[in-house]
Amino acid sequence: MSKVAKASRKSAKEKGSENTEINRADQIAAAIRELAEMKGIAVSESKGIIESTIKAAYKRTYGSCDNCIVEVGDGYDVKVYARKKIVDVAYSEVDEIEYDDSVLLDPDKNIGDYIDIPVDPTKFGRSAVDTGKQNAHQALNDTHKDYLYNMHKGKVGSLVSGTIQRETKGNVFVDLNLADVEGFLPGKNQSPVEVYEKNDRLSGLVIDIKKQNTGVQLVLSRADGKFVEKIFEREVAELADKTIGVQCVAREAGKKTKIAVYTNKPEVDPVGACVGIKGARITNVIHELMGEKIDVIRYDEDPHVFIKEALTPAKVKTVVLTDMEKREAIAIVPEDQFSFAIGKQGLNVRLANRLCNWNIDVKTESQAAEMDIVEDDNSRKAAESLFSDVGQEIEEQDEEIALISMLPGIEPRIAEILKNAGLDDIGDFVDAVENDKVKDIEGLSAEDIETVNRIIDENVEFEEEDDESADGEIEGQEEEEYFCPECGAKISINDTRCPKCGIELAFE
Protein backbone atom coordinates (compact mmCIF):
# COMPACT_ATOMS: atom_id res chain seq x y z
CA MET A 1 0.00 0.00 0.00
CA SER A 2 2.92 2.26 0.67
CA LYS A 3 4.22 1.70 -2.84
CA VAL A 4 0.85 2.55 -4.39
CA ALA A 5 0.58 5.73 -2.36
CA LYS A 6 4.07 6.72 -3.36
CA ALA A 7 3.28 6.05 -6.97
CA SER A 8 0.11 8.08 -6.72
CA ARG A 9 1.98 11.01 -5.16
CA LYS A 10 4.56 10.83 -7.92
CA SER A 11 1.89 10.88 -10.58
CA ALA A 12 0.31 13.94 -8.99
CA LYS A 13 3.65 15.70 -8.88
CA GLU A 14 4.38 14.89 -12.49
CA LYS A 15 0.86 16.00 -13.41
CA GLY A 16 1.37 19.35 -11.63
CA SER A 17 4.72 19.79 -13.32
CA GLU A 18 3.15 19.00 -16.67
CA ASN A 19 0.38 21.60 -16.12
CA THR A 20 3.01 24.16 -15.17
CA GLU A 21 4.98 23.48 -18.33
CA ILE A 22 1.91 23.52 -20.51
CA ASN A 23 0.84 26.90 -19.15
CA ARG A 24 4.33 28.39 -19.33
CA ALA A 25 3.64 30.33 -22.55
CA ASP A 26 0.42 31.74 -21.12
CA GLN A 27 2.21 32.68 -17.91
CA ILE A 28 4.87 34.58 -19.87
CA ALA A 29 2.14 36.34 -21.83
CA ALA A 30 0.28 37.30 -18.65
CA ALA A 31 3.45 38.71 -17.07
CA ILE A 32 4.26 40.76 -20.18
CA ARG A 33 0.70 42.03 -20.37
CA GLU A 34 0.84 43.21 -16.76
CA LEU A 35 4.15 45.02 -17.24
CA ALA A 36 2.95 46.59 -20.46
CA GLU A 37 -0.14 47.97 -18.78
CA MET A 38 1.96 49.39 -15.93
CA LYS A 39 4.27 51.17 -18.37
CA GLY A 40 1.48 52.44 -20.59
CA ILE A 41 2.43 50.33 -23.61
CA ALA A 42 -0.25 49.81 -26.26
CA VAL A 43 -1.93 46.39 -26.65
CA SER A 44 -0.57 45.91 -30.18
CA GLU A 45 3.00 46.57 -28.98
CA SER A 46 2.65 44.27 -25.97
CA LYS A 47 1.40 41.45 -28.23
CA GLY A 48 4.42 42.03 -30.44
CA ILE A 49 6.68 41.67 -27.42
CA ILE A 50 4.96 38.40 -26.44
CA GLU A 51 5.48 37.07 -29.97
CA SER A 52 9.17 37.98 -30.00
CA THR A 53 9.60 36.43 -26.54
CA ILE A 54 8.09 33.07 -27.57
CA LYS A 55 10.14 33.06 -30.76
CA ALA A 56 13.32 33.68 -28.76
CA ALA A 57 12.55 30.62 -26.61
CA TYR A 58 11.73 28.60 -29.75
CA LYS A 59 15.01 29.60 -31.37
CA ARG A 60 16.93 28.68 -28.24
CA THR A 61 15.39 25.20 -28.40
CA TYR A 62 15.41 24.46 -32.15
CA GLY A 63 18.20 26.70 -33.42
CA SER A 64 15.97 28.82 -35.67
CA CYS A 65 12.64 30.61 -35.44
CA ASP A 66 12.08 31.26 -39.12
CA ASN A 67 9.21 28.77 -39.24
CA CYS A 68 7.73 29.64 -35.81
CA ILE A 69 4.19 30.99 -35.85
CA VAL A 70 2.85 32.66 -32.68
CA GLU A 71 -0.79 33.65 -32.25
CA VAL A 72 -1.83 35.87 -29.32
CA GLY A 73 -5.57 36.06 -28.76
CA ASP A 74 -7.57 38.96 -27.37
CA GLY A 75 -7.47 37.29 -23.98
CA TYR A 76 -3.69 36.95 -24.29
CA ASP A 77 -3.96 33.16 -24.75
CA VAL A 78 -0.94 31.99 -26.73
CA LYS A 79 -0.72 29.31 -29.44
CA VAL A 80 2.57 28.24 -30.99
CA TYR A 81 2.99 26.45 -34.32
CA ALA A 82 5.87 25.13 -36.37
CA ARG A 83 5.33 25.61 -40.09
CA LYS A 84 6.82 22.59 -41.93
CA LYS A 85 7.06 21.52 -45.53
CA ILE A 86 5.56 18.13 -46.53
CA VAL A 87 8.19 15.90 -48.19
CA ASP A 88 8.70 12.19 -49.02
CA VAL A 89 11.69 11.86 -46.74
CA ALA A 90 12.33 14.40 -43.97
CA TYR A 91 15.97 15.36 -43.45
CA SER A 92 15.22 18.14 -40.93
CA GLU A 93 12.81 17.69 -38.05
CA VAL A 94 12.68 21.46 -37.54
CA ASP A 95 11.07 22.53 -40.81
CA GLU A 96 10.14 19.29 -42.67
CA ILE A 97 7.56 16.52 -42.14
CA GLU A 98 7.07 13.30 -44.08
CA TYR A 99 3.88 12.88 -46.06
CA ASP A 100 2.75 9.80 -44.12
CA ASP A 101 2.90 11.77 -40.85
CA SER A 102 1.17 14.84 -42.32
CA VAL A 103 -1.82 12.79 -43.49
CA LEU A 104 -2.62 12.04 -39.87
CA LEU A 105 -2.83 15.79 -39.15
CA ASP A 106 -4.45 17.03 -42.36
CA PRO A 107 -5.36 14.51 -45.10
CA ASP A 108 -6.02 17.32 -47.62
CA LYS A 109 -2.35 18.36 -47.76
CA ASN A 110 -0.03 17.08 -50.47
CA ILE A 111 3.72 16.88 -50.96
CA GLY A 112 5.16 20.39 -51.36
CA ASP A 113 2.49 22.00 -49.22
CA TYR A 114 3.10 23.57 -45.80
CA ILE A 115 1.36 22.54 -42.63
CA ASP A 116 1.23 24.29 -39.24
CA ILE A 117 1.92 21.84 -36.46
CA PRO A 118 1.10 22.78 -32.83
CA VAL A 119 4.22 23.03 -30.66
CA ASP A 120 4.20 21.75 -27.09
CA PRO A 121 5.69 24.54 -24.89
CA THR A 122 6.92 21.89 -22.47
CA LYS A 123 9.65 21.20 -25.01
CA PHE A 124 11.07 24.65 -24.38
CA GLY A 125 13.92 24.21 -21.94
CA ARG A 126 14.28 26.43 -18.91
CA SER A 127 17.26 28.18 -20.43
CA ALA A 128 15.17 28.88 -23.54
CA VAL A 129 12.42 30.39 -21.42
CA ASP A 130 14.96 32.51 -19.52
CA THR A 131 16.30 33.82 -22.84
CA GLY A 132 12.79 34.72 -23.90
CA LYS A 133 12.19 36.54 -20.63
CA GLN A 134 15.39 38.56 -21.05
CA ASN A 135 14.36 39.56 -24.55
CA ALA A 136 10.91 40.47 -23.29
CA HIS A 137 12.36 42.62 -20.52
CA GLN A 138 14.65 44.43 -22.97
CA ALA A 139 11.84 44.92 -25.46
CA LEU A 140 9.56 46.31 -22.76
CA ASN A 141 12.22 48.77 -21.62
CA ASP A 142 12.98 49.91 -25.17
CA THR A 143 9.30 50.35 -25.96
CA HIS A 144 8.75 52.26 -22.72
CA LYS A 145 11.71 54.56 -23.43
CA ASP A 146 10.44 55.21 -26.94
CA TYR A 147 7.06 56.06 -25.47
CA LEU A 148 8.59 58.50 -22.97
CA TYR A 149 10.86 60.02 -25.60
CA ASN A 150 7.97 60.72 -27.96
CA MET A 151 5.90 62.11 -25.09
CA HIS A 152 8.55 64.61 -23.92
CA LYS A 153 10.49 65.52 -27.08
CA GLY A 154 8.16 68.49 -27.56
CA LYS A 155 9.58 70.03 -24.37
CA VAL A 156 12.88 70.94 -26.09
CA GLY A 157 13.11 74.74 -26.03
CA SER A 158 10.73 75.15 -23.09
CA LEU A 159 11.12 75.66 -19.35
CA VAL A 160 10.75 72.90 -16.78
CA SER A 161 10.98 73.11 -13.00
CA GLY A 162 11.78 70.61 -10.30
CA THR A 163 13.66 69.90 -7.08
CA ILE A 164 17.40 69.36 -6.89
CA GLN A 165 17.92 65.68 -6.06
CA ARG A 166 21.68 65.38 -5.96
CA GLU A 167 24.95 66.79 -7.30
CA THR A 168 27.70 64.59 -8.67
CA LYS A 169 31.02 65.89 -10.02
CA GLY A 170 29.54 69.32 -10.66
CA ASN A 171 26.50 67.93 -12.48
CA VAL A 172 23.06 68.54 -10.96
CA PHE A 173 20.23 66.00 -11.14
CA VAL A 174 16.70 67.35 -10.85
CA ASP A 175 13.52 65.54 -9.83
CA LEU A 176 10.87 66.77 -12.27
CA ASN A 177 8.05 64.82 -10.60
CA LEU A 178 7.57 62.79 -13.78
CA ALA A 179 7.67 58.99 -13.89
CA ASP A 180 10.98 57.68 -15.28
CA VAL A 181 11.97 61.21 -16.39
CA GLU A 182 14.96 62.98 -14.86
CA GLY A 183 16.38 66.48 -15.30
CA PHE A 184 20.14 66.76 -15.87
CA LEU A 185 22.02 70.07 -15.58
CA PRO A 186 25.66 69.54 -16.63
CA GLY A 187 28.36 71.81 -15.29
CA LYS A 188 28.99 73.47 -18.68
CA ASN A 189 25.35 74.61 -18.79
CA GLN A 190 25.42 76.27 -15.38
CA SER A 191 25.88 79.94 -14.51
CA PRO A 192 29.26 80.42 -12.78
CA VAL A 193 27.73 82.60 -10.04
CA GLU A 194 25.00 80.16 -9.03
CA VAL A 195 25.16 77.76 -6.08
CA TYR A 196 22.86 74.74 -5.96
CA GLU A 197 21.65 73.05 -2.78
CA LYS A 198 19.74 69.79 -2.38
CA ASN A 199 15.95 70.17 -2.27
CA ASP A 200 16.10 73.69 -3.76
CA ARG A 201 13.63 74.52 -6.52
CA LEU A 202 15.29 74.89 -9.93
CA SER A 203 14.12 75.94 -13.39
CA GLY A 204 15.96 75.11 -16.58
CA LEU A 205 15.69 75.31 -20.36
CA VAL A 206 15.35 71.89 -22.03
CA ILE A 207 17.99 71.77 -24.78
CA ASP A 208 18.07 68.00 -25.44
CA ILE A 209 16.45 64.70 -24.51
CA LYS A 210 18.34 61.41 -24.11
CA LYS A 211 17.32 57.82 -23.49
CA GLN A 212 18.72 56.22 -20.34
CA ASN A 213 18.56 52.69 -18.90
CA THR A 214 15.68 53.58 -16.60
CA GLY A 215 13.82 56.05 -18.82
CA VAL A 216 14.67 59.39 -20.41
CA GLN A 217 16.76 62.35 -19.32
CA LEU A 218 15.97 66.00 -20.09
CA VAL A 219 19.24 67.92 -20.54
CA LEU A 220 18.86 71.40 -19.03
CA SER A 221 20.67 74.72 -19.35
CA ARG A 222 20.70 77.89 -17.27
CA ALA A 223 23.52 79.55 -19.22
CA ASP A 224 21.75 79.80 -22.59
CA GLY A 225 20.41 83.17 -23.77
CA LYS A 226 17.16 81.42 -24.63
CA PHE A 227 16.75 80.66 -20.92
CA VAL A 228 16.55 84.40 -20.16
CA GLU A 229 13.99 84.85 -22.95
CA LYS A 230 11.79 82.10 -21.48
CA ILE A 231 12.05 83.59 -17.99
CA PHE A 232 10.84 86.91 -19.42
CA GLU A 233 7.94 85.11 -21.12
CA ARG A 234 6.98 83.65 -17.76
CA GLU A 235 6.98 87.09 -16.10
CA VAL A 236 5.71 89.33 -18.94
CA ALA A 237 2.17 88.65 -20.12
CA GLU A 238 2.68 90.74 -23.28
CA LEU A 239 5.44 88.36 -24.38
CA ALA A 240 3.32 85.31 -23.70
CA ASP A 241 0.40 86.63 -25.77
CA LYS A 242 2.69 87.89 -28.60
CA THR A 243 1.83 91.57 -28.11
CA ILE A 244 5.59 92.12 -27.97
CA GLY A 245 8.40 89.83 -29.08
CA VAL A 246 12.10 89.14 -28.53
CA GLN A 247 14.26 89.89 -31.55
CA CYS A 248 17.59 88.64 -30.19
CA VAL A 249 19.53 87.96 -27.00
CA ALA A 250 23.23 88.23 -26.17
CA ARG A 251 24.46 86.83 -22.89
CA GLU A 252 27.50 85.99 -20.85
CA ALA A 253 26.03 83.93 -18.04
CA GLY A 254 26.57 85.34 -14.57
CA LYS A 255 27.79 88.70 -15.91
CA LYS A 256 25.29 90.44 -18.15
CA THR A 257 22.47 89.94 -20.67
CA LYS A 258 21.27 92.25 -23.43
CA ILE A 259 17.83 91.51 -24.84
CA ALA A 260 16.22 93.38 -27.78
CA VAL A 261 12.43 93.55 -27.87
CA TYR A 262 9.96 94.90 -30.43
CA THR A 263 6.23 95.39 -30.97
CA ASN A 264 3.92 95.81 -33.95
CA LYS A 265 1.57 98.00 -31.93
CA PRO A 266 2.74 101.64 -31.69
CA GLU A 267 0.76 102.24 -28.50
CA VAL A 268 2.72 99.53 -26.63
CA ASP A 269 6.14 100.23 -25.10
CA PRO A 270 7.99 96.88 -25.28
CA VAL A 271 10.80 97.99 -22.97
CA GLY A 272 8.38 99.31 -20.35
CA ALA A 273 6.34 96.11 -20.53
CA CYS A 274 9.45 94.05 -19.75
CA VAL A 275 10.59 96.31 -16.94
CA GLY A 276 7.15 96.50 -15.32
CA ILE A 277 5.72 98.97 -12.83
CA LYS A 278 8.53 100.16 -10.55
CA GLY A 279 10.74 97.48 -12.13
CA ALA A 280 8.72 94.62 -10.65
CA ARG A 281 8.94 92.30 -13.62
CA ILE A 282 12.62 92.69 -14.39
CA THR A 283 13.40 92.36 -10.68
CA ASN A 284 11.87 88.88 -10.70
CA VAL A 285 13.99 87.93 -13.72
CA ILE A 286 17.17 89.24 -12.08
CA HIS A 287 16.31 87.28 -8.93
CA GLU A 288 15.94 84.07 -11.00
CA LEU A 289 19.38 84.76 -12.57
CA MET A 290 20.97 85.27 -9.15
CA GLY A 291 21.60 89.02 -9.61
CA GLU A 292 22.82 89.01 -13.21
CA LYS A 293 22.63 92.47 -14.89
CA ILE A 294 20.13 92.89 -17.72
CA ASP A 295 19.79 95.60 -20.41
CA VAL A 296 16.40 95.64 -22.14
CA ILE A 297 16.56 97.68 -25.36
CA ARG A 298 14.18 98.44 -28.20
CA TYR A 299 14.95 96.79 -31.53
CA ASP A 300 15.14 98.99 -34.63
CA GLU A 301 15.61 97.94 -38.25
CA ASP A 302 17.93 100.89 -38.85
CA PRO A 303 21.39 99.68 -37.76
CA HIS A 304 22.40 103.25 -36.84
CA VAL A 305 19.64 103.39 -34.23
CA PHE A 306 19.98 99.78 -33.11
CA ILE A 307 23.73 100.03 -32.51
CA LYS A 308 23.16 103.18 -30.44
CA GLU A 309 20.61 101.33 -28.32
CA ALA A 310 22.77 98.21 -28.04
CA LEU A 311 25.60 100.21 -26.43
CA THR A 312 23.34 101.20 -23.51
CA PRO A 313 24.08 102.56 -20.88
CA ALA A 314 26.50 104.68 -22.93
CA LYS A 315 25.10 107.71 -24.76
CA VAL A 316 26.31 107.38 -28.35
CA LYS A 317 26.56 110.55 -30.42
CA THR A 318 26.96 109.09 -33.94
CA VAL A 319 27.15 105.69 -35.63
CA VAL A 320 28.92 105.35 -38.98
CA LEU A 321 28.53 102.16 -41.01
CA THR A 322 31.94 101.84 -42.62
CA ASP A 323 31.44 98.51 -44.42
CA MET A 324 28.00 97.03 -45.04
CA GLU A 325 29.31 93.78 -46.52
CA LYS A 326 31.61 93.05 -43.58
CA ARG A 327 29.10 94.60 -41.17
CA GLU A 328 31.61 96.97 -39.63
CA ALA A 329 30.63 100.17 -37.83
CA ILE A 330 32.17 102.93 -35.74
CA ALA A 331 30.31 104.33 -32.75
CA ILE A 332 31.43 107.82 -31.73
CA VAL A 333 30.88 108.76 -28.09
CA PRO A 334 31.79 111.73 -25.86
CA GLU A 335 34.95 111.35 -23.81
CA ASP A 336 33.03 110.72 -20.58
CA GLN A 337 30.95 107.94 -22.18
CA PHE A 338 33.82 105.86 -23.57
CA SER A 339 34.23 103.64 -20.49
CA PHE A 340 30.48 102.99 -20.36
CA ALA A 341 30.40 102.00 -24.03
CA ILE A 342 33.31 99.57 -23.66
CA GLY A 343 32.26 98.18 -20.30
CA LYS A 344 34.31 96.24 -17.78
CA GLN A 345 36.86 94.14 -19.66
CA GLY A 346 35.06 95.02 -22.91
CA LEU A 347 31.84 93.25 -21.83
CA ASN A 348 29.36 95.92 -22.97
CA VAL A 349 30.70 96.37 -26.51
CA ARG A 350 31.24 92.62 -26.83
CA LEU A 351 27.59 91.89 -26.05
CA ALA A 352 26.51 94.75 -28.35
CA ASN A 353 28.50 93.16 -31.20
CA ARG A 354 26.73 89.85 -30.72
CA LEU A 355 23.32 91.42 -30.25
CA CYS A 356 23.49 93.49 -33.46
CA ASN A 357 25.66 91.06 -35.41
CA TRP A 358 27.94 93.98 -36.25
CA ASN A 359 31.64 94.52 -35.54
CA ILE A 360 31.44 97.77 -33.57
CA ASP A 361 34.55 99.92 -32.98
CA VAL A 362 34.01 102.55 -30.29
CA LYS A 363 35.85 105.87 -30.71
CA THR A 364 35.80 109.12 -28.74
CA GLU A 365 35.05 112.37 -30.51
CA SER A 366 38.70 113.43 -30.39
CA GLN A 367 39.82 110.07 -31.82
CA ALA A 368 37.21 110.27 -34.57
CA ALA A 369 38.35 113.80 -35.49
CA GLU A 370 41.81 112.44 -36.31
CA MET A 371 40.39 109.70 -38.55
CA ASP A 372 39.05 109.86 -42.07
CA ILE A 373 35.69 108.22 -41.35
CA VAL A 374 33.42 107.80 -44.36
CA GLU A 375 29.96 106.23 -44.41
CA ASP A 376 29.77 103.24 -46.77
CA ASP A 377 27.80 104.22 -49.87
CA ASN A 378 25.84 100.96 -49.65
CA SER A 379 24.75 101.84 -46.13
CA ARG A 380 23.46 105.22 -47.28
CA LYS A 381 21.49 103.56 -50.04
CA ALA A 382 20.12 101.02 -47.58
CA ALA A 383 19.06 103.79 -45.21
CA GLU A 384 17.45 105.71 -48.04
CA SER A 385 15.59 102.59 -49.10
CA LEU A 386 14.56 101.87 -45.53
CA PHE A 387 13.05 105.30 -45.03
CA SER A 388 11.81 106.00 -48.56
CA ASP A 389 8.28 105.00 -47.60
CA VAL A 390 8.37 107.35 -44.62
CA GLY A 391 9.58 110.21 -46.80
CA GLN A 392 6.86 109.55 -49.32
CA GLU A 393 4.25 109.68 -46.56
CA ILE A 394 5.65 113.02 -45.34
CA GLU A 395 5.52 114.45 -48.86
CA GLU A 396 1.96 113.30 -49.23
CA GLN A 397 1.10 114.89 -45.91
CA ASP A 398 2.70 118.22 -46.95
CA GLU A 399 0.92 118.26 -50.32
CA GLU A 400 -1.16 121.38 -50.80
CA ILE A 401 -4.91 120.86 -50.54
CA ALA A 402 -6.71 123.36 -52.77
CA LEU A 403 -10.13 121.82 -53.47
CA ILE A 404 -13.03 120.92 -51.21
CA SER A 405 -13.20 117.45 -52.80
CA MET A 406 -9.60 116.77 -51.67
CA LEU A 407 -10.43 117.23 -48.00
CA PRO A 408 -10.62 114.03 -45.90
CA GLY A 409 -14.07 113.20 -44.59
CA ILE A 410 -16.05 115.33 -47.05
CA GLU A 411 -19.26 113.70 -48.22
CA PRO A 412 -19.41 113.26 -52.01
CA ARG A 413 -22.86 114.89 -51.97
CA ILE A 414 -21.56 118.11 -50.41
CA ALA A 415 -18.52 118.21 -52.69
CA GLU A 416 -20.76 117.83 -55.76
CA ILE A 417 -23.13 120.64 -54.62
CA LEU A 418 -20.23 123.06 -54.03
CA LYS A 419 -18.61 122.13 -57.34
CA ASN A 420 -21.84 122.84 -59.23
CA ALA A 421 -22.09 126.16 -57.38
CA GLY A 422 -18.55 127.10 -58.45
CA LEU A 423 -17.19 126.89 -54.89
CA ASP A 424 -14.99 123.78 -55.16
CA ASP A 425 -11.95 125.94 -54.40
CA ILE A 426 -11.34 126.16 -50.63
CA GLY A 427 -10.45 129.86 -50.78
CA ASP A 428 -13.61 130.69 -52.72
CA PHE A 429 -15.69 128.75 -50.21
CA VAL A 430 -14.16 130.61 -47.27
CA ASP A 431 -14.85 133.96 -48.98
CA ALA A 432 -18.44 132.89 -49.68
CA VAL A 433 -18.90 132.01 -46.02
CA GLU A 434 -17.60 135.41 -44.93
CA ASN A 435 -19.94 137.15 -47.39
CA ASP A 436 -22.92 134.92 -46.42
CA LYS A 437 -23.28 133.92 -50.08
CA VAL A 438 -22.93 130.23 -49.24
CA LYS A 439 -26.32 130.25 -47.51
CA ASP A 440 -28.02 130.80 -50.87
CA ILE A 441 -26.79 127.49 -52.33
CA GLU A 442 -29.66 125.08 -52.85
CA GLY A 443 -29.36 121.72 -51.10
CA LEU A 444 -26.66 122.89 -48.68
CA SER A 445 -27.83 123.04 -45.06
CA ALA A 446 -26.35 125.06 -42.19
CA GLU A 447 -25.09 121.80 -40.71
CA ASP A 448 -23.31 120.98 -43.99
CA ILE A 449 -21.63 124.38 -43.98
CA GLU A 450 -20.50 123.91 -40.37
CA THR A 451 -19.10 120.46 -41.20
CA VAL A 452 -17.07 121.81 -44.14
CA ASN A 453 -15.72 124.66 -42.02
CA ARG A 454 -14.66 122.23 -39.28
CA ILE A 455 -12.85 119.95 -41.73
CA ILE A 456 -11.07 122.95 -43.29
CA ASP A 457 -9.93 124.14 -39.86
CA GLU A 458 -8.55 120.69 -39.04
CA ASN A 459 -6.69 120.09 -42.31
CA VAL A 460 -5.83 123.40 -43.98
CA GLU A 461 -3.35 126.11 -42.97
CA PHE A 462 -3.72 129.44 -44.71
CA GLU A 463 -0.57 131.42 -45.54
CA GLU A 464 -0.82 135.20 -45.47
CA GLU A 465 0.53 137.00 -48.52
CA ASP A 466 3.03 139.83 -47.98
CA ASP A 467 2.47 141.59 -51.32
CA GLU A 468 0.16 144.27 -49.92
CA SER A 469 2.41 145.03 -46.97
CA ALA A 470 5.43 145.22 -49.26
CA ASP A 471 3.58 147.59 -51.59
CA GLY A 472 2.56 149.66 -48.60
CA GLU A 473 6.16 149.98 -47.52
CA ILE A 474 7.21 151.09 -51.01
CA GLU A 475 4.37 153.57 -51.20
CA GLY A 476 5.30 154.83 -47.77
CA GLN A 477 8.87 155.29 -48.87
CA GLU A 478 7.72 157.28 -51.94
CA GLU A 479 5.51 159.55 -49.88
CA GLU A 480 8.14 160.15 -47.13
CA GLU A 481 9.18 163.89 -46.90
CA TYR A 482 12.59 165.31 -45.89
CA PHE A 483 13.36 168.71 -44.30
CA CYS A 484 16.62 170.68 -43.87
CA PRO A 485 17.98 170.24 -40.36
CA GLU A 486 19.26 173.84 -40.34
CA CYS A 487 16.39 175.97 -41.62
CA GLY A 488 13.54 173.47 -41.86
CA ALA A 489 12.96 173.97 -45.58
CA LYS A 490 11.52 171.02 -47.59
CA ILE A 491 14.19 169.13 -49.51
CA SER A 492 14.38 166.02 -51.72
CA ILE A 493 16.53 162.96 -51.33
CA ASN A 494 18.55 163.96 -54.38
CA ASP A 495 19.61 167.38 -53.00
CA THR A 496 23.24 167.88 -51.93
CA ARG A 497 22.65 171.43 -50.60
CA CYS A 498 19.62 173.07 -49.04
CA PRO A 499 17.99 175.28 -51.68
CA LYS A 500 17.18 177.88 -48.99
CA CYS A 501 20.15 178.14 -46.62
CA GLY A 502 22.82 176.41 -48.77
CA ILE A 503 23.99 173.99 -46.08
CA GLU A 504 25.55 170.76 -47.41
CA LEU A 505 23.33 167.70 -47.05
CA ALA A 506 24.20 164.01 -46.61
CA PHE A 507 21.63 161.20 -46.45
CA GLU A 508 22.53 158.07 -44.49
Side-chain angles (χ1 to χ4, degrees), residues 240-264:
D241 64 17
K242 310 300 181 184
T243 301
I244 64 176
V246 175
Q247 181 68 24
C248 47
V249 180
R251 184 188 186 202
E252 288 194 11
K255 297 179 181 179
K256 192 173 186 178
T257 294
K258 286 182 179 286
I259 179 169
V261 293
Y262 67 92
T263 180
N264 295 322

Side-chain angles (χ1 to χ4, degrees), residues 459-488:
N459 295 277
V460 179
E461 293 183 5
F462 294 96
E463 297 181 359
E464 297 182 359
E465 297 182 356
D466 297 331
D467 293 344
E468 294 182 0
S469 61
D471 291 342
E473 290 177 4
I474 294 172
E475 290 175 0
Q477 289 176 0
E478 290 176 353
E479 295 177 356
E480 188 174 357
E481 295 181 347
Y482 298 94
F483 298 91
C484 176
E486 184 68 23
C487 64

Side-chain angles (χ1 to χ4, degrees), residues 247 264 298-306 358 382 386-387:
Q247 181 68 24
N264 295 322
R298 185 166 191 149
Y299 172 74
D300 198 292
E301 291 183 355
D302 182 4
H304 297 85
V305 178
F306 189 34
W358 279 79
L386 178 64
F387 297 104

Side-chain angles (χ1 to χ4, degrees), residues 31-313:
I32 293 174
R33 177 185 181 181
E34 183 178 353
L35 286 172
E37 289 176 349
M38 289 175 58
K39 293 180 177 292
I41 298 174
V43 172
S44 59
E45 292 182 353
S46 63
K47 287 184 177 181
I49 294 172
I50 293 171
E51 181 179 345
S52 63
T53 301
I54 301 300
K55 285 186 176 182
Y58 185 95
K59 183 178 181 179
R60 178 77 175 180
T61 302
Y62 297 104
S64 174
C65 63
D66 294 341
N67 67 325
C68 180
I69 307 298
V70 180
E71 295 180 356
V72 183
D74 293 338
Y76 281 80
D77 53 309
V78 180
K79 295 180 180 180
V80 185
Y81 301 92
R83 181 163 293 175
K84 298 184 179 183
K85 186 177 182 180
I86 301 173
V87 295
D88 276 333
V89 180
Y91 294 99
S92 172
E93 294 183 357
V94 176
D95 54 8
E96 290 181 345
I97 184 173
E98 293 186 354
Y99 177 74
D100 293 340
D101 295 330
S102 68
V103 171
L104 300 176
L105 299 173
D106 189 345
D108 295 331
K109 297 288 185 179
N110 297 314
I111 293 176
D113 294 338
Y114 288 88
I115 184 172
D116 292 341
I117 303 172
V119 175
D120 185 359
T122 59
K123 295 184 178 180
F124 294 164
R126 184 167 296 278
S127 61
V129 173
D130 291 341
T131 300
K133 287 181 178 179
Q134 291 174 3
N135 289 353
H137 184 71
Q138 184 64 42
L140 281 169
N141 282 340
D142 291 343
T143 302
H144 183 54
K145 284 187 286 187
D146 290 341
Y147 169 76
L148 292 174
Y149 183 89
N150 293 328
M151 176 184 290
H152 298 287
K153 65 181 180 181
K155 287 186 170 67
V156 174
S158 63
L159 281 183
V160 295
S161 299
T163 305
I164 297 177
Q165 193 176 43
R166 68 186 188 280
E167 183 177 358
T168 305
K169 297 181 180 180
N171 301 318
V172 177
F173 295 87
V174 183
D175 180 8
L176 301 175
N177 198 26
L178 297 170
D180 299 327
V181 180
E182 180 182 57
F184 174 64
L185 180 64
K188 63 180 181 180
N189 294 347
Q190 299 172 15
S191 172
V193 300
E194 295 181 350
V195 178
Y196 309 106
E197 299 291 342
K198 186 177 180 180
N199 296 326
D200 283 352
R201 292 289 296 174
L202 185 73
S203 296
L205 176 76
V206 181
I207 60 173
D208 196 9
I209 179 169
K210 296 181 178 179
K211 296 178 182 178
Q212 300 293 318
N213 290 334
T214 57
V216 296
Q217 190 178 72
L218 302 184
V219 182
L220 309 179
S221 175
R222 288 180 59 88
D224 198 292
K226 192 78 174 177
F227 174 67
V228 180
E229 179 181 341
K230 290 298 180 181
I231 294 296
F232 266 104
E233 286 184 9
R234 190 175 68 183
E235 298 293 334
V236 181
E238 291 83 351
L239 274 172
D241 64 17
K242 310 300 181 184
T243 301
I244 64 176
V246 175
Q247 181 68 24
C248 47
V249 180
R251 184 188 186 202
E252 288 194 11
K255 297 179 181 179
K256 192 173 186 178
T257 294
K258 286 182 179 286
I259 179 169
V261 293
Y262 67 92
T263 180
N264 295 322
K265 297 183 178 181
E267 68 274 13
V268 177
D269 177 14
V271 176
C274 292
V275 173
I277 300 174
K278 296 183 179 180
R281 290 175 171 177
I282 199 170
T283 299
N284 292 337
V285 178
I286 293 173
H287 179 73
E288 176 67 38
L289 301 179
M290 306 295 184
E292 184 176 313
K293 296 179 180 179
I294 301 175
D295 287 342
V296 182
I297 66 173
R298 185 166 191 149
Y299 172 74
D300 198 292
E301 291 183 355
D302 182 4
H304 297 85
V305 178
F306 189 34
I307 291 173
K308 276 186 178 182
E309 294 291 333
L311 287 170
T312 298

Side-chain angles (χ1 to χ4, degrees), residues 354-428:
R354 288 160 49 190
L355 189 72
C356 301
N357 194 25
W358 279 79
N359 184 16
I360 306 170
D361 188 10
V362 180
K363 299 293 182 183
T364 63
E365 291 178 295
S366 59
Q367 290 173 334
E370 299 174 358
M371 302 171 62
D372 184 18
I373 302 175
V374 180
E375 179 92 358
D376 187 355
D377 186 58
N378 291 329
S379 68
R380 287 197 298 271
K381 291 179 180 179
E384 290 172 2
S385 174
L386 178 64
F387 297 104
S388 61
D389 294 338
V390 177
Q392 185 177 356
E393 291 177 3
I394 294 172
E395 290 178 3
E396 291 174 354
Q397 292 174 359
D398 292 341
E399 185 179 356
E400 183 180 355
I401 300 176
L403 303 178
I404 295 291
S405 57
M406 297 172 62
L407 290 169
I410 287 290
E411 295 183 21
R413 176 186 61 84
I414 298 175
E416 186 66 23
I417 292 173
L418 292 174
K419 183 177 180 181
N420 293 335
L423 295 178
D424 191 29
D425 183 85
I426 294 176
D428 293 341

